[in-house]
Amino acid sequence: MTMRPPRAAAAGACRPAPPHTAGRRAVFRTPAFAARPPVLAVQATLTALALTACTTAVPPAPLPLEVREPPPTTVRALHRLVADGAPGAASLITHDGDFHAARFSTAGVSDLRSGRPMGPGDHFRAGSLTKTVIATVILQLVAEGKLALDDTAAGHLPAGVPSTGTGEKASDLRRVTIRQLLSHTSGLFNYTEDPRLSRQLSGNGFGAHRYDSHTPAELLRIALSHPQVTAPGTGPHDQHGPHGPHGRGGGPFAYSYSNTNYLVLGLIIGEVTGHRYSEEVRRRVITPVGLDETTFPGTDPVLPAPHGRAYSRIGDRQVDTTSLDPSRAGAAGEMITTLGDLNRFFAALLGGKLLPPRQMTQLRNEKISDGTYGLGLYATELPCGRTVWGHNGDINGSYAQTAGTADGRRLLSYRINTDTLTKPGDGTAVLEAEFCPPTRSRKSPGREVSG
């Protein structure tokens, strides 16, 4: 799953973090990367894609319309991701929803065995980018009067789902509101950080447990068995959250990133609508926007074709983590999608096509988290001073981020086929390549680069 970028990202920051970075951490992290085998770095144009399609049984599918060559700045930024350890990287840029003029670029490989490059139609696990979709459905229910942001979470849980833990400092969903779940200010313990479960999800136990199925109620019980990180809406920034050891300005505030929050929101959608959250997402978002390549797989471990491979570093081994039971992520990060569908979704969302104006204002309101996170969306201020809106996400073997202008007319989605940005500044560089104006210092040999 994912976290959010900093308010003012320094030149070396990109992971959604406090004001010091520009990226957000994803949900299921594996240990930091150790030595990695060298990989081939390649820019793929349409011609190259055609020539390499025969190297794999799963050829890359083209976008429905013409794909243009990206600017050199974007290509260089993707090569940096590969040079610093990602087997492959790819990005898609769209303006005004015009896929006739989409710009796709790639570096490295999607499959270390075949050498196949990433394709524009490749499917991948989106991790916490799922959260923005779930938040959209919740805010639609608020707009319809079926929920209120200040309702308690416990008041909308299905029968039989626990609302409290045990012990003197037990977690208590009767004191947590919908708004606090959306903004990560509930203080709920992040279930993916439970020591035992963490070893199974991304540690040495991954191989034996990659196909384990988990129910939301089971995962919630694990979270509630831990004391809350803070009281709802108050307390210091989570020291283990996506923004590092300090919040904005180093001061205390309520933000504490937790996948448990969106696990609970998925349960609430089911109770309020009478349908599983994935069904509501399909009815309210996927079908209206035309996200034909986006799925919520439930417990299905297989990625749809076409797709490459996903890789995680576990200890001193590089492990193929392509296949796994995604119920470990649920409403916090199970979504499978493509770069094109991410751009379509964020264009519709930021363009005001999915939420009324009042809920759009609520979506962007970062006040409760002291400027760190809205209600399923966050702003990233780039080193050049420009601010973009979006989210990021990671899950075993996959990291992705989408960022766009406030009106959604200009969008960039990029991904790597591993789950950690070893150098967060590399992710910032990808965003800068598209959203920051070219300067004399950004030149390719013999000519000025347009970005």
Side-chain angles (χ1 to χ4, degrees):
M1 284 75 124
T2 259
M3 295 164 144
R4 108 158 245 186
R7 242 300 146 238
C14 168
R15 182 160 287 237
H20 303 296
T21 64
R24 190 162 302 257
R25 195 167 67 179
V27 168
F28 302 110
R29 289 200 59 197
T30 55
F33 278 82
R36 297 176 179 77
V39 294
L40 175 64
V42 185
Q43 175 191 355
T45 60
L46 289 181
T47 301
L49 289 173
L51 291 174
T52 57
C54 60
T55 63
T56 172
V58 186
L63 289 168
L65 302 172
E66 176 187 359
V67 178
R68 295 183 179 179
E69 184 176 342
T73 47
T74 303
V75 176
R76 285 202 299 270
L78 295 181
H79 277 270
R80 279 180 57 180
L81 288 166
V82 172
D84 288 331
S91 69
L92 183 72
I93 299 165
T94 54
H95 290 180
D96 296 322
D98 182 6
F99 282 83
H100 287 280
R103 290 178 288 156
F104 173 78
S105 61
T106 185
V109 297
S110 69
D111 188 324
L112 290 172
R113 290 188 176 183
S114 70
R116 167 192 180 274
M118 289 182 173
D122 280 0
H123 297 83
F124 55 89
R125 302 188 192 279
S128 284
L129 281 154
T130 307
K131 290 181 171 67
T132 309
V133 179
I134 294 296
T136 300
V137 172
I138 288 288
L139 289 172
Q140 287 178 345
L141 293 171
V142 170
E144 294 163 9
K146 297 174 182 176
L147 282 175
L149 290 177
D150 292 324
D151 286 353
T152 65
H156 296 288
L157 288 178
V161 172
S163 60
T164 63
T166 58
E168 184 179 347
K169 297 182 179 180
S171 299
D172 189 346
L173 291 174
R174 295 171 299 182
R175 297 188 296 137
V176 171
T177 67
I178 305 294
R179 189 191 311 272
Q180 290 164 347
L181 293 172
L182 287 166
S183 61
H184 295 293
T185 56
S186 70
L188 292 173
F189 179 83
N190 187 354
Y191 76 88
T192 59
E193 293 184 3
D194 175 81
R196 180 174 177 274
L197 184 62
S198 178
R199 288 191 295 271
Q200 297 175 0
L201 296 180
S202 59
N204 291 329
F206 172 80
H209 295 278
R210 67 193 301 165
Y211 298 119
D212 288 359
S213 291
H214 303 274
T215 67
E218 168 203 340
L219 297 175
L220 180 57
R221 285 190 181 91
I222 291 174
L224 296 178
S225 71
H226 294 267
Q228 294 197 191
V229 176
T230 67
T234 63
H237 176 68
D238 179 8
Q239 300 297 304
H240 304 288
H243 302 294
H246 302 291
R248 188 180 180 193
F253 58 92
Y255 177 81
S256 178
Y257 190 88
S258 174
N259 293 308
T260 306
N261 292 318
Y262 280 74
L263 188 78
V264 175
L265 289 169
L267 288 165
I268 289 172
I269 290 172
E271 176 65 11
V272 170
T273 67
H275 306 117
R276 179 176 158 79
Y277 63 82
S278 58
E279 295 177 30
E280 284 299 303
V281 167
R282 173 160 294 282
R283 184 173 73 86
R284 294 170 173 268
V285 178
I286 290 177
T287 299
V289 180
L291 307 181
D292 298 336
E293 305 303 325
T294 297
T295 57
F296 278 63
T299 60
D300 187 347
V302 179
L303 281 171
H307 67 80
R309 312 304 297 173
Y311 301 97
S312 296
R313 178 63 59 173
I314 300 179
D316 60 354
R317 298 176 299 121
Q318 181 169 256
V319 178
D320 186 321
T321 53
T322 309
S323 181
L324 54 82
D325 187 316
S327 63
R328 60 183 53 208
E334 75 165 273
M335 185 171 72
I336 292 172
T337 190
T338 62
L339 293 174
D341 270 11
L342 284 178
N343 281 19
R344 290 183 182 93
F345 166 66
F346 277 92
L349 178 63
L350 295 174
K353 296 178 181 178
L354 290 172
L355 294 173
R358 183 179 182 185
Q359 279 65 48
M360 283 300 299
T361 299
Q362 293 167 338
L363 180 79
R364 300 175 192 273
N365 188 351
E366 298 181 325
K367 184 176 180 179
I368 189 175
S369 64
D370 195 27
T372 302
Y373 195 95
L375 303 187
L377 193 72
Y378 62 83
T380 300
E381 186 176 342
L382 298 172
C384 63
R386 291 197 174 181
T387 297
V388 291
W389 289 85
H391 210 288
N392 69 353
D394 73 62
I395 189 170
N396 310 70
S398 178
Y399 177 93
Q401 183 171 6
T402 299
T405 53
D407 58 7
R409 295 181 62 185
R410 188 173 179 183
L411 285 160
L412 163 70
S413 292
Y414 77 92
R415 58 172 290 241
I416 56 177
N417 54 349
T418 190
D419 41 54
T420 305
L421 282 173
T422 53
K423 294 185 178 180
D426 290 351
T428 301
V430 178
L431 302 185
E432 282 187 276
E434 172 60 18
F435 296 106
C436 290
T439 65
R440 290 291 176 182
S441 62
R442 294 189 182 100
K443 289 186 176 182
S444 59
R447 59 175 178 148
E448 184 171 343
V449 173
S450 63

